[in-house]
């Protein structure tokens, strides 16, 4: 990473800080912090990540006092950190700004003039089974009002699918209720909203100290079928970046007319329909892609560091970054547990065989599949000649790689 980082006091002067939390901090993020000397709020969880540089550590009390004196940009690797913000920065506007995006119903209410004819409805888990199905759109999405990582998300096209989803939600709630705090995943209420047609994208961005939007990376989300809502594959390319950076920056500036955000990172999911209209799915505050995925993908794909760009409030030099990247695609393959086995049934996963499916794997991150709803994350590079590798893994339930016992 040395060619990408320059030790700098800029971040310290700006007082922008990183707030680390479980479940995962990548080596890339650790190296970014250490080599750029980015201040880290020294929570008990942050201490467990072994950042061996005392000069970058800021006590919780000092961080709170500094924020009280003058608010600064906070970036986190995990939505679990929202709890810390809510508890310790309650005197500021930040918890409310976060809630606007975490509460999908509230977000829809505030921005409804962007989609005046868009159907959405909030319903409690207790009332979910008594919904008047005939009053709902022909195709809709059911998901937690406060959600994360496609948990509890279902695309519905008929009454049978709706009934099956309601039953599946009962089981899913039991499996994940202890994995995340309520500020990250709250299954007490759901939102029913009209299905947004179009291609789906996820992108990392921030509003700078002037409130101007800067896009730092874009991924296209691939699906196995029209009803698929899983997070199996995201990919980026030179063509995606060149086409959509100006489009999404303009969209964010329009969105910010509702919120007046400054010094605020975010990870946004949208669809673009055949009329070139941008349809928001959700906005995730203070972070980029979960599990240190999207920022690390940007490095694997293009060799630049979106986190240091964020902390230093810089815009990427796309012309330089994208040179020589023609025809290349870089993907995150999320090895989600779609095999149909409960975590306690799984004895092992054959990661070597999974790696062997790809001509150019870049990085494999194994997960504790007894505690998480996935086996790991795989970063791979492909081009047009071997794109079939991605198409095949997109359709694979991974059952053939799992040993149970």
């Amino acid at each position: 990473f040395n060619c990408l980082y320059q030790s700098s006091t800029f971040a310290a002067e700006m007082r922008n800080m990183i707030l680390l939390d479980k479940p995962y901090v990548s080596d890339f993020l650790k190296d970014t912090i250490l080599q750029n000397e980015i201040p880290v709020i020294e929570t008990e969880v942050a201490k467990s990540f072994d950042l061996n540089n005392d000069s970058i550590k800021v006590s919780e009390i000092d961080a709170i006092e500094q924020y009280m004196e003058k608010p600064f940009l906070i970036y986190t690797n995990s939505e679990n950190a929202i709890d810390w913000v809510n508890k310790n920065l309650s005197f500021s506007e930040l918890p409310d700004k976060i809630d606007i995006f975490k509460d999908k119903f509230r977000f829809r209410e505030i921005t409804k003039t962007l989609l005046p004819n868009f159907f959405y409805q909030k319903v409690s888990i207790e009332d979910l089974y008594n919904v008047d199905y005939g009053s709902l759109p022909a195709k809709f999405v059911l998901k937690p009002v406060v959600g994360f990582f496609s948990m509890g998300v279902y695309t519905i096209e008929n009454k049978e699918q709706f009934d099956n989803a309601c039953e599946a939600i009962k089981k899913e709630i039991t499996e994940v209720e202890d994995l995340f705090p309520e500020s990250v995943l709250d299954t007490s209420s759901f939102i029913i909203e009209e299905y947004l047609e179009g291609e789906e994208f996820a992108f990392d961005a921030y509003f700078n100290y002037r409130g101007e939007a800067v896009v730092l990376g874009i991924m296209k989300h691939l699906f196995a079928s029209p009803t698929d809502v899983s997070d199996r594959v995201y990919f980026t390319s030179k063509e995606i970046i060149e086409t959509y950076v100006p489009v999404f920056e303009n969209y964010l500036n329009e969105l910010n007319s509702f919120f007046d955000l400054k010094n605020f990172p975010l990870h946004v999911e949208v669809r673009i329909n055949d009329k070139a209209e941008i349809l928001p799915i959700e906005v995730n505050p203070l972070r980029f892609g979960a599990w240190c995925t999207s920022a690390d993908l940007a490095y694997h794909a293009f060799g630049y560091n979106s986190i240091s760009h964020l902390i230093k409030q810089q815009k990427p030099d796309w012309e330089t970054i994208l040179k020589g990247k023609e025809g290349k695609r870089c993907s995150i393959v999320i090895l989600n547990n779609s095999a149909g086995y409960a975590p306690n049934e799984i004895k092992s996963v054959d990661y070597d065989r999974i790696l062997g499916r790809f001509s150019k794997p870049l990085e494999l991150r194994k997960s504790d599949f007894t505690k998480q709803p996935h086996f790991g994350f795989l970063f791979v590079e492909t081009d047009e000649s071997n794109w079939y590798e991605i198409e095949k893994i997109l359709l694979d339930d991974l059952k053939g790689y799992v040993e149970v016992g």
Side-chain angles (χ1 to χ4, degrees):
F1 301 131
N2 290 337
C3 64
L4 295 177
Y5 303 114
Q6 293 181 355
S7 180
S8 172
T9 59
F10 181 87
E13 291 170 358
M14 291 294 293
R15 298 198 301 182
N16 297 335
M17 297 186 190
I18 288 185
L19 177 61
L20 297 176
D21 213 315
K22 297 177 181 179
Y24 183 77
V25 176
S26 69
D27 289 340
F28 179 78
L29 177 54
K30 289 180 183 178
D31 287 340
T32 300
I33 291 169
L34 293 171
Q35 297 191 35
N36 286 275
E37 299 180 353
I38 303 170
V40 174
I41 301 173
E42 195 177 20
T43 64
E44 286 302 314
V45 176
K47 292 176 184 178
S48 69
F49 293 118
D50 299 323
L51 295 171
N52 299 315
N53 184 344
D54 291 339
S55 67
I56 65 172
K57 298 174 182 177
V58 181
S59 73
E60 293 181 80
I61 292 175
D62 285 346
I64 294 166
E65 289 179 349
Q66 289 183 43
Y67 199 92
M68 188 178 296
E69 179 184 338
K70 185 177 180 181
F72 49 84
L73 183 149
I74 294 176
Y75 171 77
T76 182
N77 63 305
S78 168
E79 296 210 356
N80 289 3
I82 291 174
D83 262 8
W84 188 94
V85 174
N86 290 341
K87 292 174 182 176
N88 294 286
L89 303 181
S90 58
F91 57 84
S92 73
E93 296 180 348
L94 189 56
D96 185 64
K97 298 292 188 183
I98 292 171
D99 182 71
I100 288 170
F101 299 117
K102 286 304 299 176
D103 187 327
K104 294 178 177 62
F105 182 77
R106 186 181 177 195
F107 175 78
R108 291 292 185 209
E109 288 283 278
I110 293 173
T111 62
K112 59 186 176 183
T113 55
L114 292 178
L115 294 169
N117 299 316
F118 180 76
F119 177 93
Y120 59 95
Q121 175 183 338
K122 184 178 180 180
V123 58
S124 69
I125 183 66
E126 294 80 12
D127 293 335
L128 188 58
Y129 309 96
N130 300 317
V131 169
D132 178 11
Y133 187 84
S135 67
L136 303 179
K139 185 176 182 180
F140 60 90
V141 175
L142 173 66
K143 57 187 176 182
V145 168
V146 178
F148 172 65
F149 212 58
S150 292
M151 292 180 181
V153 180
Y154 296 88
T155 301
I156 310 296
E157 294 187 78
N158 57 59
K159 184 64 164 58
E160 181 181 3
Q161 289 178 351
F162 180 71
D163 292 340
N164 290 340
C166 290
E167 289 302 313
I169 284 169
K170 288 182 183 179
K171 179 182 177 182
E172 199 168 33
I173 288 174
T174 303
E175 292 175 350
V176 304
E177 60 185 353
D178 295 327
L179 290 180
F180 304 99
E182 197 171 275
S183 59
V184 175
L185 178 65
D186 180 1
T187 53
S188 64
S189 59
F190 284 73
I191 185 169
I192 297 170
E193 58 181 35
E194 180 182 340
Y195 182 83
L196 299 169
E197 299 287 350
E199 294 185 309
E200 184 171 318
F201 296 86
F203 59 94
D204 297 335
Y206 71 97
F207 295 107
N208 64 21
Y209 67 96
R210 291 188 294 264
E212 301 164 341
V214 178
V215 169
L216 294 172
I218 304 171
M219 307 179 296
K220 186 174 182 179
H221 189 179
L222 297 183
F223 295 98
S225 70
T227 58
D228 182 21
V229 294
S230 70
D231 290 321
R232 173 57 60 83
V233 174
Y234 293 82
F235 79 95
T236 190
S237 67
K238 175 182 178 179
E239 293 72 26
I240 288 174
I241 296 293
E242 288 180 332
T243 302
Y244 291 105
V245 163
V247 172
F248 291 149
E249 286 185 345
N250 288 337
Y251 170 72
L252 285 181
N253 285 322
E254 179 183 15
L255 197 65
N256 204 25
S257 65
F258 293 94
F259 307 119
D260 190 28
L261 296 171
K262 296 180 176 67
N263 291 327
F264 198 92
L266 60 167
H267 179 74
V268 187
E269 298 176 18
V270 300
R271 286 183 184 263
I272 300 182
N273 64 17
D274 55 8
K275 299 177 183 178
E277 297 172 318
I278 298 179
L279 312 168
I281 299 171
E282 63 181 40
V283 180
N284 301 283
L286 299 195
R287 68 168 174 89
F288 294 159
W291 290 80
C292 295
T293 49
S294 57
D296 297 40
L297 178 70
Y299 171 74
H300 280 303
F302 305 116
Y304 77 100
N305 191 320
S306 57
I307 297 171
S308 64
H309 276 73
L310 165 72
I311 295 297
K312 298 176 184 180
Q313 301 236 342
Q314 296 174 339
K315 295 191 70 168
D317 178 1
W318 292 117
E319 183 176 353
T320 301
I321 289 169
L322 298 177
K323 280 183 179 177
K325 301 299 181 181
E326 296 81 5
K328 298 295 182 182
R329 294 177 177 179
C330 200
S331 303
I332 303 169
V333 179
I334 302 173
L335 303 172
N336 46 312
N337 182 359
S338 54
Y341 301 121
N344 59 5
E345 295 180 286
I346 299 173
K347 183 178 179 181
S348 65
V349 176
D350 194 338
Y351 293 101
D352 289 338
R353 282 185 57 220
I354 294 174
L355 281 173
R357 296 181 56 153
F358 298 95
S359 53
K360 192 172 181 180
L362 303 174
E363 180 186 355
L364 171 66
R365 298 177 182 170
K366 300 177 183 179
S367 298
D368 184 350
F369 48 78
T370 66
K371 297 179 180 178
Q372 303 297 341
H374 46 77
F375 306 134
F377 299 84
L378 179 61
F379 296 79
V380 299
E381 183 181 299
T382 52
D383 53 31
E384 290 183 3
S385 65
N386 57 358
W387 186 242
Y388 65 89
E389 298 174 351
I390 298 298
E391 294 174 335
K392 285 185 176 181
I393 198 71
L394 185 63
L395 298 170
D396 198 324
D397 63 10
L398 303 183
K399 186 176 289 187
Y401 302 93
V402 176
E403 181 182 355
V404 295

